């Protein structure tokens, strides 16, 4: 932009000489500025955990400072995408970013100094005096559990409370945006217009599930459709059977020149040869319900059989003594959303990884025997032992060994070119 001083963004693996030479074409005089020096990198669900070695990051910084360049580190302090606030990228396919944004940064997600911080301070001290005061120590950490959760009930059982104003009716499905549901989940419902005796393909044209759909027929979970990944299920049902599709917005595109990214069902679903119409849209206020539940001891599920598909689990538990930061570990759970004392910690996706624990700041917990409450919305499968644990260290680097393949269809997503350089600005 004219009148603005030009700067560049690059990481330790990039060729500094080449990039600053290019910058000089735009700014022949004035300071060399790296406005985003990448100390680490972010993670996507289903991909390996990103790290940048201490030696690479310090070497890159030292080289820049030797040139007299100015530098801003991104990230200097790791963070967390609490609630539904993670972004996503489009690199040939839709890639949502994990809840943790620890980033392998010099100060961790939990606010603690890491070896990278001290090594960077040593580099800076070669060029200018650094303050010698004491550094704040790491926050106290805490272990707890295992805590066994109990079943609260199927999401569909709470529909009246999750959508108190009732559904919106429309012949064709409407997007989240069209009904002003800015994040989270929306339920789409219609009824089968004839009996389907044989397993029959059910799909949404044009890769039109944004971003993940949990499909139920008469309340029985049938499986998942996922943008770029899984485009078909086989369904049966009777005339008048209830077809429910819970759609998850997995995060908005946070980078790219054309980031229009409507959420929900972007095309009417097709069952066999029939275009399904006469939809009801239930925009869900799940957080309001969980907050309303938060002080209550919920009743146990009274039926012997656990329901299948999107289901709430919960447990109240005391913490004796003081509290510390902790990391919620959900072994064997599949994918969902989790709240502590009504606060939405974010998404978990244990099956996919690499993130296995969610950061729980100590300020969310009640000390000295007061009751704390955890609530899970598990979207798929529950482990035999519905337990969670609180660990004193994060686990961010465990990717499922299952190899995921994506749909090779030409879609709006696959048309955009992959980025030539590292992305910025998440
Ligand atoms: C970095 O770029 C410069 C200028 O283009 C080039 O001369 C040099 O060989 C490059 N270094 C590496 C390691 O690629
Ligand atoms: C991810 O990590 C595994 C185990 O270290 C490795 O075998 C695999 O090649 C990595 N995948 C990518 C895409 O880097
Ligand atoms: C931008 O994305 C929208 C929605 O995917 C698409 O209709 C449009 O053609 C795209 N525009 C450009 C310039 O790529
Ligand atoms: C994950 O990180 C921990 C802690 O840095 C390390 O001990 C472990 O070997 C790593 N595991 C994998 C699979 O990379």
């Amino acid at each position: 932009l004219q009148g603005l001083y030009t700067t560049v963004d690059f990481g330790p693996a990039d060729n500094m000489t080449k990039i600053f030479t290019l910058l000089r074409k735009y700014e022949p005089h004035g300071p060399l500025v790296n406005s985003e020096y990448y100390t680490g990198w972010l993670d996507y669900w289903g991909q390996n955990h990103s790290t940048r070695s201490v030696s690479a990051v310090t070497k890159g910084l030292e080289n820049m400072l030797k040139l007299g360049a100015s530098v801003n580190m991104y990230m200097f302090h790791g963070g967390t995408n609490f609630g539904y606030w993670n972004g996503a990228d489009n690199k040939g396919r839709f890639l949502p970013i994990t809840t943790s944004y620890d980033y392998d940064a010099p100060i961790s997600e939990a606010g603690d100094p890491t070896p990278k911080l001290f090594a960077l301070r040593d580099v800076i001290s070669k060029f200018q005096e650094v303050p010698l005061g004491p550094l704040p120590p790491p926050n106290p950490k805490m272990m707890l559990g295992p805590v066994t959760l109990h079943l609260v009930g199927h999401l569909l059982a709470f529909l009246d409370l999750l959508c108190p104003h009732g559904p919106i009716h429309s012949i064709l499905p409407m997007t989240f945006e069209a009904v002003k549901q800015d994040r989270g989940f929306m339920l789409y419902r219609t009824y089968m217009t004839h009996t389907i005796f044989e397993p029959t393909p059910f799909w949404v044209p044009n890769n039109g599930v944004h971003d993940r759909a949990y499909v139920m027929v008469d309340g029985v979970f049938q499986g998942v459709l996922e943008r770029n990944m899984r485009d078909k299920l086989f369904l049966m049902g009777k005339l008048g059977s209830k077809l429910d599709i819970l759609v998850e917005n997995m995060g908005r595109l946070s980078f790219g020149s054309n980031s229009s990214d409507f959420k929900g069902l972007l095309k009417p679903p097709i069952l066999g040869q029939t275009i399904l119409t006469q939809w009801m849209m239930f925009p869900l206020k799940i957080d309001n319900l969980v907050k309303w539940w938060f002080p209550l001891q919920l009743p146990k599920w009274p039926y012997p059989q656990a329901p299948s598909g999107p289901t709430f689990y919960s447990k109240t538990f005391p913490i004796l003594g003081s509290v510390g930061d902790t990391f919620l570990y959900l072994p064997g759970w599949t994918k969902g959303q989790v709240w502590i004392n009504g606060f939405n910690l974010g998404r978990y996706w244990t099956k996919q990884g690499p993130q296995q624990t969610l950061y729980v700041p100590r300020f969310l917990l009640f000390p000295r025997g007061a009751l704390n409450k955890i609530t899970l919305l598990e979207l798929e499968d529950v482990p035999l032992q519905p337990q969670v644990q609180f660990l004193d260290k994060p686990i961010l680097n465990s990717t499922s060994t299952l190899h995921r393949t994506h749909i090779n269809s030409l879609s709006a997503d696959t048309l955009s070119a992959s980025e030539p350089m590292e992305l910025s600005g998440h």
Side-chain angles (χ1 to χ4, degrees):
L1 295 175
Q2 267 191 351
L4 290 185
Y5 192 79
T6 303
T7 66
V8 289
D9 299 342
F10 60 89
D14 296 307
N15 184 335
M16 182 183 77
T17 314
K18 191 172 165 192
I19 294 174
F20 276 146
T21 304
L22 180 64
L23 175 61
R24 277 286 173 246
K25 282 198 183 165
Y26 295 88
E27 297 292 352
H29 310 291
L32 299 169
V33 184
N34 182 347
S35 36
E36 283 188 351
Y37 179 55
Y38 304 117
T39 61
W41 199 245
L42 53 94
D43 285 343
Y44 303 105
W45 292 116
Q47 302 209 343
N48 287 347
H49 178 51
S50 308
T51 57
R52 295 289 183 272
S53 74
V54 171
S55 60
V57 175
T58 50
K59 194 170 150 236
L61 178 67
E62 184 153 2
N63 289 340
M64 279 187 283
L65 295 183
K66 273 184 189 153
L67 272 187
S70 297
V71 54
N72 172 58
M73 297 188 210
Y74 182 100
M75 301 285 287
F76 193 72
H77 188 330
T80 310
N81 296 308
F82 291 118
Y84 308 107
W85 284 106
N86 67 282
D89 279 323
N90 188 349
K91 294 192 186 169
R93 70 179 172 91
F94 180 72
L95 286 172
I97 293 166
T98 56
T99 301
S100 174
Y101 207 84
D102 177 81
Y103 204 86
D104 198 25
I107 296 176
S108 76
E109 178 175 11
D112 296 331
T114 69
K116 201 176 272 179
L117 177 74
F118 294 104
L120 290 171
R121 188 173 68 162
D122 288 344
V123 171
I124 294 167
S125 72
K126 293 184 192 171
F127 297 87
Q128 66 176 56
E129 226 173 291
V130 298
L132 289 174
L135 270 165
N139 294 316
K141 298 292 180 292
M142 176 180 86
M143 281 175 90
L144 199 73
V147 174
T148 302
L149 275 56
H150 67 76
L151 189 51
V152 175
H154 201 286
L155 176 127
L156 295 178
F158 299 101
L159 203 48
D160 290 348
L161 296 169
L162 288 167
C163 185
H165 300 299
I168 295 147
H169 296 258
S170 158
I171 293 172
L172 300 180
M174 295 166 77
T175 61
F176 278 44
E177 289 73 19
V179 304
K180 299 198 179 343
Q181 173 80 348
D182 53 357
R183 61 189 91 107
F185 295 84
M186 184 147 85
L187 186 83
Y188 292 77
R189 171 173 288 177
T190 192
Y191 295 91
M192 291 192 184
T193 51
H194 52 281
T195 298
I196 312 274
F197 294 102
E198 303 276 321
T200 297
F202 171 74
W203 57 293
V204 182
N206 246 6
N207 198 20
V209 173
H210 284 199
D211 304 301
R212 209 159 190 269
Y214 307 86
V215 180
M216 291 151 279
V217 173
D218 287 329
V220 179
F221 185 50
Q222 306 293 316
V224 172
L225 297 176
E226 188 178 328
R227 183 171 177 181
N228 300 131
M229 301 301 286
R230 238 177 298 176
D231 67 350
K232 206 168 278 170
L233 286 172
F234 290 85
L235 302 183
M236 292 194 291
K238 295 192 293 288
L239 167 67
S241 281
K242 189 164 66 185
L243 175 63
D244 281 314
I245 307 170
L246 179 71
V247 179
E248 177 184 3
N249 166 355
M250 290 208 291
R252 293 196 174 276
L253 291 177
S254 44
F255 185 90
S257 56
N258 184 18
S259 49
S260 298
D261 182 26
F262 294 100
K263 299 300 189 183
L265 298 179
L266 306 195
K267 293 279 172 188
I270 295 178
L271 180 58
Q273 306 293 324
T274 310
I275 296 176
L276 300 177
T277 57
Q278 305 301 336
W279 289 93
M280 283 184 262
M281 272 69 58
F282 298 79
L284 303 184
K285 305 282 176 232
I286 299 178
D287 292 78
N288 290 358
L289 182 65
V290 173
K291 272 177 204 148
W292 179 75
W293 274 345
F294 140 60
L296 303 178
Q297 281 271 23
L298 294 172
K300 289 203 168 153
W301 179 255
Y303 312 107
Q305 195 72 27
S308 56
T311 312
F312 289 106
Y313 281 75
S314 173
K315 179 71 180 177
T316 46
F317 58 95
I319 299 172
L320 305 174
S322 58
V323 294
D325 280 0
T326 187
F327 301 91
L328 176 64
Y329 181 43
L330 304 118
W333 295 81
T334 307
K335 184 184 194 310
Q337 202 81 30
V338 56
W339 293 260
I340 295 275
N341 293 333
F343 180 88
N344 192 335
L345 280 186
R347 295 170 224 264
Y348 66 87
W349 200 347
T350 310
K351 273 271 162 67
Q352 192 85 265
Q355 181 177 4
Q356 300 293 319
T357 58
L358 278 82
Y359 173 50
V360 184
R362 63 195 179 287
F363 308 107
L364 294 177
L365 300 167
F366 299 121
R368 290 182 286 285
L371 286 182
N372 289 276
K373 179 157 188 178
I374 179 167
T375 308
L376 256 71
L377 170 59
E378 167 58 54
L379 297 161
E380 296 180 57
D381 295 319
V382 175
L384 282 174
Q385 296 282 335
Q387 294 181 334
V388 300
Q389 288 174 55
F390 294 91
L391 308 182
D392 58 2
K393 281 190 194 67
I395 307 172
L396 300 174
N397 61 352
S398 174
T399 303
S400 155
T401 48
L402 284 173
H403 194 70
R404 305 183 88 217
T405 48
H406 66 276
I407 304 166
N408 259 330
S409 63
L410 192 67
S411 69
D413 286 0
T414 53
L415 290 175
S416 89
S418 56
E419 313 299 331
M421 285 193 0
E422 293 190 301
L423 304 178
S424 69
H426 294 278

